[in-house]
């Protein structure tokens, strides 16, 4: 037994403590010597007092040092006596992992290393002892103990640590016996297996793999002659007896690890038939043996589990999977002839109970001189789901960008059309023969503006005005309009939770969502029926996972819109929220209703789901987060007093900056009609040039946000440095949240979305001035 006491480095009794002690003693001696040599009585007294103080501190430190060492020694001695004959190798080490004691089992297995660290003692048995020891010690410092099982060269080991004191830890290393279990465990299987880590490092090789290779290798390039690997194909490995061909099968092992099984090559002397198909029954890789015509000869348990009850002997591969884009028979013939360019294919199983995708690799084998095929399968459902989700996301993003661009340009055009129509209406009364035509132009311009708003809603870029809402009040205000929408054949019923929590949303946009859902429900029941709207508070204790969406845990107000209509086929359910997708005939709908509802709900922070069954009806479910805590009061604009009505003439100087000439012409005429003095600029640079005149007095900036060259917020910030009291009105065909952060940094600024009417513009400017 080897005991190395007092070898601490970081504790109070370690070498650092001794150095501090010697420094105090030397300082005390120096102070005493100076006191004896000094002729100044005052200085002599001060140095003597300092020397005495340092001697007192040194004495106290020595006492504390001896006490601390004794305490640690007693603790270590007690534990050392207890574990001296323990069969498990044990170490006592300091907090910086310097070994101060090892029992007989540790001496026998790890040897006597002198004043070495624990990591140095274990480096011959553990691949990365420093990281492992640090991780365990950190957990032990927090909880008092920690342990972890690690795969080593000599098999699985359990390393545990217990904290004895602030500077002493007990480490134990135990061998973990191989667990009895099914033959599918890695080590108990006769099949060679290699475990790979995150970066392709070989973490573990079972006995069969070591016997096949002839040694333990640590990297893939030392094992395989060609990289990268393609699972399900035959490749060449380097062994002690030369190069050999193997069939590589890959299985996910969790924690970013992969298990590679090195199977006998499917073609040649060691075929699956000669080895016996039973060899592959417990392999955790789905495999099917096929005739050249695609008839199933045999399959293992994992293949039966993956393909379900439809997988039987003598069944044809074309009845089991589909989606290749060509006939299964042609694919099999190309595999037999060696004409395959792509080694694996993604196919969809014909299972009716669930949707499953598989990646299939075909390998030719020879049995008694006759050709056959081995199909190696991998479950690719999650991969295809992520791929479909990514494609859908890319498509929706592209359409959203297109919608935003179109909406911006249309908003500029509609502003000019509706604005000049407003100017014409001011010069015509109801008796004028042109008045009705102007009203029609105005109404259709407003309808076009609503359609553009739907595009922005789909792309989640419309301007929202959120407020605290009670869903019961919102539906009560909307009931009259909804009853008119559904007609006489359809009955509308509402059911509310007695205690309904508030939510935060844009009331106008939320009403648009409900109207779109009710109209769709009505159209799904041409012969009449009942539409039920149910609201309630739902508490999710766990996140809700459905339709590739995760709804976080929490409280939600749910709104369900049920109908008894024709229902929606399953293959169309995933498309109902796409813009311009509609099952209605031409002229009956734009295909924007549900995509608008989807965009508004998502921009509000909610979720929308659909459940439908053919012939039974459809149910849309909306989730809105409950507004927790004190509801936020909504600031409402006070009604304009008669003497401040924007219809009356006003005075003030307006600088109008707009790059679209028709919009600038309408806005300037509208403001001049109300008595304002308007200065026009077609760009930000022209506006700044105009403001160089110090005698020019400006009351309000009215500027577009997006312009060629310098944008609106940029030039306004520069102008406000010299004119800080000027108020600002930003106008844009884009949504406010495109530059909301920029606007919030500019004082006394408001936003006016396009298209705006004559009254909208003059009212906003009037409110800014007053």
């Amino acid at each position: 037994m080897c005991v190395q006491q007092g070898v601490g480095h970081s504790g109070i009794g370690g070498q650092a403590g001794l150095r501090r002690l010697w420094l105090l003693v030397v300082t005390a001696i120096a102070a005493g010597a100076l006191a004896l040599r000094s002729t100044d009585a005052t200085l002599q007294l001060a140095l003597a007092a300092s020397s005495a103080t340092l001697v007192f501190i040194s004495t106290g430190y020595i006492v504390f040092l001896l006490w601390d060492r004794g305490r640690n020694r007693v603790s270590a001695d007690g534990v050392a006596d207890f574990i001296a004959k323990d069969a498990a190798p044990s170490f006592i080490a300091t907090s910086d992992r310097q070994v101060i004691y090892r029992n007989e089992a540790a001496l026998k297995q790890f040897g006597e290393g002198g004043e070495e660290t624990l990591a140095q003692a274990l480096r011959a048995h553990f691949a990365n002892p420093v990281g492992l020891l640090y991780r365990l010690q950190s957990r032990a410092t927090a909880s008092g103990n920690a342990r972890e099982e690690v795969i080593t060269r000599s098999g699985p080991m359990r390393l545990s640590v217990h904290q004895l004191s602030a500077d002493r830890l007990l480490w134990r290393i135990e061998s973990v016996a191989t667990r009895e279990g099914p033959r599918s465990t890695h080590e108990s299987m006769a099949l060679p297996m290699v475990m790979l880590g995150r970066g392709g490092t070989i973490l573990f090789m079972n006995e069969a793999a070591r016997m096949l290779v002839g040694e333990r290798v640590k990297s893939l390039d030392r094992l395989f002659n060609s990289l990268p690997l393609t699972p399900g194909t035959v490749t060449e490995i380097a062994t002690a007896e030369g190069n050999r061909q193997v069939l590589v099968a890959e299985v996910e092992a969790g924690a970013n690890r992969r298990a590679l099984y090195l199977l006998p090559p499917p073609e040649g002397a060691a075929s699956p038939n000669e080895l016996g198909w039973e060899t592959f029954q417990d392999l955790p890789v789905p495999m099917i043996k096929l005739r050249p015509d695609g008839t199933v000869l045999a399959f293992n348990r994992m293949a039966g589990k993956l393909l379900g009850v439809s997988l039987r002997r003598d069944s044809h591969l074309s009845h089991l999977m589909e989606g290749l884009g060509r006939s299964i028979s042609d694919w099999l013939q190309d595999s037999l002839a060696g004409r395959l360019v792509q080694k694996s294919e993604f196919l969809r199983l014909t299972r009716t109970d669930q949707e499953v995708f598989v990646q299939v690799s075909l390998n030719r084998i020879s049995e008694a001189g006759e050709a056959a095929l081995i199909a190696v399968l991998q479950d690719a459902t999650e991969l295809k789901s992520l791929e479909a989700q990514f494609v859908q996301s890319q498509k929706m993003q592209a359409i959203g960008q297109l919608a935003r661009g179109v909406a911006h340009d249309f908003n500029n055009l509609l502003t000019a059309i509706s604005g000049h129509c407003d100017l014409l209406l001011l010069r015509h009364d109801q008796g004028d023969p042109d008045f009705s035509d102007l009203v029609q132009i105005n109404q259709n311009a407003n309808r076009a503006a609503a359609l553009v708003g739907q595009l922005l809603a789909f792309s989640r870029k419309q301007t929202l005005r959120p407020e605290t809402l009670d869903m019961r009040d919102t539906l009560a205000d909307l009931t009259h309009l909804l009853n008119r929408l559904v007609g006489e054949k359809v009955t509308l019923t509402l059911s509310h939770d007695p205690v309904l929590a508030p939510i935060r949303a844009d009331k106008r946009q939320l009403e648009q969502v409900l109207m779109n859902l009710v109209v769709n429900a009505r159209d799904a029941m041409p012969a009449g029926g009942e539409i039920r709207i149910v609201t309630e508070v739902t508490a999710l204790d766990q996140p809700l996972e459905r339709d590739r969406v995760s709804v976080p845990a929490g409280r939600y107000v749910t709104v369900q819109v049920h109908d008894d209509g024709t229902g929606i086929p399953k293959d169309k359910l995933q498309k109902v929220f796409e813009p311009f997708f509609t099952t209605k005939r031409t002229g009956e709908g734009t295909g924007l209703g549900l995509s608008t509802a989807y965009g508004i709900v998502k921009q509000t922070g909610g979720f929308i789901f659909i459940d439908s069954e053919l012939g039974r009806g459809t149910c849309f479910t909306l989730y809105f987060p409950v507004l927790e805590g004190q509801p936020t009061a909504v600031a409402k604009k006070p009604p304009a007093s008669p003497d401040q009505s924007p219809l009356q003439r006003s005075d003030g100087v307006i600088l109008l900056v707009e790059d679209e000439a028709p919009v600038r012409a309408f806005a300037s005429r509208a403001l001049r009609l109300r008595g304002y003095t308007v200065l026009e600029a077609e760009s930000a640079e022209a506006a700044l040039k105009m403001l160089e005149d110090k005698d020019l007095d400006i009351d309000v900036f009215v500027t577009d946000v997006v312009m060629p060259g310098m944008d609106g917020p940029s030039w306004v910030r520069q102008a406000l440095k010299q004119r800080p009291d000027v108020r600002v009105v930003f106008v844009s065909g884009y949504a406010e949240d495109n530059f909301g952060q920029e606007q919030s940094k500019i004082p006394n600024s408001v936003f006016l979305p396009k298209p705006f009417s004559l009254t909208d513009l003059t009212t906003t400017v009037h409110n800014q001035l007053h």
Side-chain angles (χ1 to χ4, degrees):
M1 181 168 62
C2 175
V3 181
Q4 305 166 14
Q5 297 284 2
V7 194
H9 286 264
S10 62
I12 196 168
Q15 292 180 1
L18 292 175
R19 285 195 297 269
R20 289 193 293 268
L21 177 59
W22 279 111
L23 181 60
L24 286 172
V25 172
V26 170
T27 305
I29 293 173
L34 289 173
L36 293 174
R37 293 183 180 183
S38 176
T39 56
D40 189 339
T42 303
L43 179 60
Q44 190 176 29
L45 181 61
L47 290 173
S50 300
S51 177
T53 302
L54 291 173
V55 169
F56 178 76
I57 293 174
S58 302
T59 304
Y61 193 84
I62 291 171
V63 171
F64 185 77
L65 182 64
L66 293 175
W67 174 82
D68 181 68
R69 278 192 171 185
R71 179 171 59 89
N72 284 330
R73 185 178 295 113
V74 170
S75 175
D77 287 346
V79 176
D81 293 340
F82 182 75
I83 63 174
K85 302 297 182 181
D86 193 349
S90 302
F91 297 85
I92 297 177
T94 61
S95 58
D96 57 356
R97 293 183 288 282
Q98 189 77 19
V99 176
I100 61 174
Y101 170 79
R102 64 187 75 200
N103 68 355
E104 293 181 0
L107 287 168
K108 182 178 179 181
Q109 183 168 346
F110 297 97
E112 182 176 354
E115 295 185 1
E116 65 179 356
T117 63
L118 189 59
Q120 292 171 336
L122 303 181
R123 66 181 180 274
H125 294 75
F126 291 85
N128 181 23
V130 175
L132 175 64
L133 295 175
Y134 177 80
R135 183 169 65 250
L136 283 171
Q137 184 171 331
S138 299
R139 287 158 50 191
T141 303
S143 60
N145 64 85
R147 69 175 182 174
E148 189 171 321
E149 290 189 12
V150 184
I151 301 297
T152 68
R153 298 178 179 86
S154 56
M157 308 284 285
R158 180 184 296 115
L159 183 61
S160 59
V161 57
H162 300 265
Q163 189 165 22
L164 303 179
S165 65
D167 191 44
R168 297 291 185 269
L169 297 107
L170 170 64
W171 298 84
R172 300 182 76 246
I173 298 98
E174 303 171 86
S175 297
V176 180
T178 304
R179 298 180 177 87
E180 295 296 330
R183 292 181 60 207
S184 60
T185 56
H186 299 319
E187 191 62 48
S188 60
M189 286 172 43
L191 297 171
M193 188 276 295
V194 176
M195 185 68 70
L196 300 182
R198 186 193 304 269
T201 305
I202 297 179
L203 303 176
F204 171 69
M205 298 174 65
N206 67 358
E207 186 63 27
R210 290 195 291 270
M211 291 180 62
L212 174 65
V213 178
E215 61 176 339
R216 187 190 185 283
V217 294
K218 298 182 179 180
S219 60
L220 283 179
D221 56 355
R222 294 276 304 277
L223 179 60
F224 294 95
N225 292 334
S226 62
L227 293 174
L229 292 176
T230 303
T233 60
V234 176
T235 188
E236 198 173 71
I237 63 171
T239 70
E241 299 176 357
N243 295 334
R244 293 186 58 176
Q245 288 192 334
V246 295
L247 174 64
V248 180
E250 180 180 316
V251 178
E252 290 294 329
N256 293 312
R257 296 181 299 172
R258 296 176 293 156
L260 297 183
Y261 289 88
L262 311 179
L263 310 178
E267 190 169 9
S271 70
N273 187 53
E274 296 171 13
L275 291 172
W277 188 257
E278 288 300 320
T279 306
F280 298 88
Q281 281 299 322
D282 291 320
L283 182 67
V285 179
M287 300 179 69
I288 304 175
K289 183 164 66 173
L290 303 167
R291 288 196 183 100
D293 62 354
T295 304
V296 175
L297 290 173
F299 55 89
N300 66 355
R301 294 188 183 93
M302 286 296 294
K305 182 179 179 182
L306 178 63
L307 273 72
V309 295
S310 58
L311 178 59
R312 301 184 303 273
R313 293 180 185 273
D314 298 329
S315 59
H316 197 272
L317 192 65
S318 61
H319 299 153
L320 303 173
M321 52 193 70
E322 60 186 6
L324 188 61
R326 55 176 173 156
S327 68
I328 296 288
S329 299
D330 291 345
W331 180 43
L332 298 177
Q333 290 302 320
D334 288 345
S335 301
L336 289 169
R339 294 192 298 266
L340 279 183
V341 178
Q342 189 170 338
K343 295 296 184 181
S344 61
E345 295 283 354
F346 287 93
L347 294 96
R348 180 182 180 275
L349 299 185
T350 56
R351 295 182 61 161
T352 57
D353 56 337
Q354 57 180 313
E355 187 177 51
V356 179
F357 291 90
V358 291
Q359 182 180 9
V360 185
S361 300
L362 293 178
N363 297 274
R364 185 179 183 276
I365 64 172
S366 178
E367 293 185 344
E370 296 185 3
L373 290 168
I374 293 292
V376 180
L377 287 72
Q378 282 186 298
D379 189 348
T381 305
E382 184 177 358
L383 176 64
K384 295 299 287 185
S385 176
L386 291 173
E387 180 184 347
Q389 186 176 357
F390 175 74
V391 171
Q392 178 74 0
S393 174
Q394 292 291 94
K395 179 172 65 176
M396 300 291 270
Q397 182 180 359
I399 296 176
Q401 290 176 345
L402 174 64
R404 288 197 292 274
V406 170
H408 172 261
D409 292 339
F410 264 83
N411 279 333
N412 277 324
L413 294 173
L414 291 171
T415 301
I417 293 171
S418 60
H420 285 91
C421 186
D422 287 342
L423 293 173
L424 286 172
L425 284 171
L426 290 176
R427 301 202 301 269
H428 294 75
D429 55 26
Q430 295 186 4
D432 194 299
D434 296 331
F435 184 81
S436 59
D437 294 335
L438 293 173
V439 170
Q440 283 294 323
I441 294 173
N442 189 268
Q443 289 177 351
N444 283 282
N446 290 335
R447 288 181 58 191
L451 187 60
V452 173
Q454 286 183 310
L455 287 174
L456 286 174
F458 155 70
S459 61
R460 302 183 223 171
K461 290 298 179 183
Q462 84 274 34
T463 300
L464 294 181
R465 298 286 184 253
E467 56 184 292
T468 302
L469 298 177
D470 188 314
M471 191 58 70
R472 290 171 299 190
D473 297 338
T474 302
L475 284 168
D477 296 341
L478 198 61
T479 302
H480 179 67
L481 178 58
L482 293 179
N483 279 320
R484 290 177 56 189
L485 286 173
V486 299
E488 297 179 355
K489 294 182 180 180
V490 178
T491 303
L492 180 66
T493 59
L494 283 77
S495 176
H496 298 299
D497 193 319
V499 182
L500 206 59
I503 63 173
R504 185 162 175 79
D506 186 316
K507 183 177 180 180
R508 181 175 57 86
Q509 299 290 347
L510 185 56
E511 289 174 346
Q512 180 69 44
V513 171
L514 295 171
M515 285 192 293
N516 288 348
L517 295 180
V518 169
V519 167
N520 274 277
R522 177 203 65 189
D523 294 342
M525 300 184 295
E530 181 185 13
I531 300 175
R532 300 176 303 280
I533 301 179
V534 181
T535 63
E536 61 182 355
V537 175
T538 301
L540 298 179
D541 297 329
Q542 298 292 333
L544 174 64
E545 305 282 348
R546 63 165 295 182
D547 299 346
R548 302 174 187 155
V549 175
S550 177
V551 182
R555 297 176 69 232
Y556 294 85
V557 172
T558 61
V559 182
Q560 293 182 326
V561 180
H562 302 261
D563 67 62
D564 303 322
T566 55
I568 303 173
K570 287 187 177 179
D571 59 332
K572 292 183 171 61
L573 275 179
Q574 300 299 325
K575 300 180 180 179
V576 295
F577 295 121
E578 295 183 7
F580 309 111
F581 174 81
T582 179
T583 57
K584 300 175 183 177
R585 291 176 296 183
T586 303
E588 292 184 353
T590 61
L592 284 173
L594 291 180
S595 61
T596 299
Y598 176 85
I600 293 172
V601 171
K602 298 299 287 184
Q603 191 174 357
T604 304
F607 302 86
I608 182 170
F609 302 106
I610 180 174
D611 299 284
S612 186
E613 187 176 349
L614 281 176
R616 300 288 298 274
T618 303
C619 175
F620 286 91
T621 305
L622 284 63
Y623 285 80
F624 295 102
V626 168
L627 182 61
E628 303 288 357
Q630 185 68 25
T632 304
V634 180
K636 296 184 179 180
K637 294 181 181 179
S641 57
D643 59 337
Q644 292 182 343
S645 173
L647 297 178
Q648 297 180 0
R649 297 185 64 82
S650 305
D651 56 355
V653 181
I654 312 297
L655 176 56
L656 175 64
V657 185
E658 170 63 62
D659 62 305
E660 290 284 342
V663 177
R664 187 171 69 251
F666 151 65
S668 63
R669 285 184 60 189
L671 292 171
R672 288 191 179 102
L673 282 174
R674 295 293 178 254
Y676 297 107
T677 301
V678 181
L679 304 176
E680 300 180 36
E682 62 181 8
S683 65
E685 291 78 9
L688 291 174
K689 183 71 174 176
M690 191 180 299
L691 292 175
E692 291 178 0
D693 184 358
K694 302 298 183 181
D695 297 328
L696 188 62
D697 188 17
I698 304 294
D699 296 305
V700 179
F701 294 147
V702 179
T703 176
D704 194 6
V705 174
V706 180
M707 295 181 292
M710 189 179 294
D711 60 20
S714 298
W715 84 261
V716 167
R717 277 196 298 269
Q718 187 171 336
L720 289 179
K721 293 178 181 178
Q722 303 297 328
R723 303 168 184 266
D725 297 329
V726 179
R727 295 180 173 270
V728 185
V729 177
F730 287 109
V731 297
S732 178
Y734 288 113
E736 182 179 7
D737 63 349
N738 275 14
F739 70 104
Q741 293 297 327
E742 296 296 325
Q743 182 200 335
S744 63
K745 300 175 183 177
I746 297 176
N748 301 321
S749 63
V750 296
F751 177 73
L752 178 63
K754 295 178 181 178
F756 51 79
S757 65
L758 184 149
T759 304
D760 292 335
L761 177 61
T762 55
T763 300
T764 303
V765 172
H766 178 86
N767 291 337
Q768 279 294 81
L769 278 172
H770 298 87

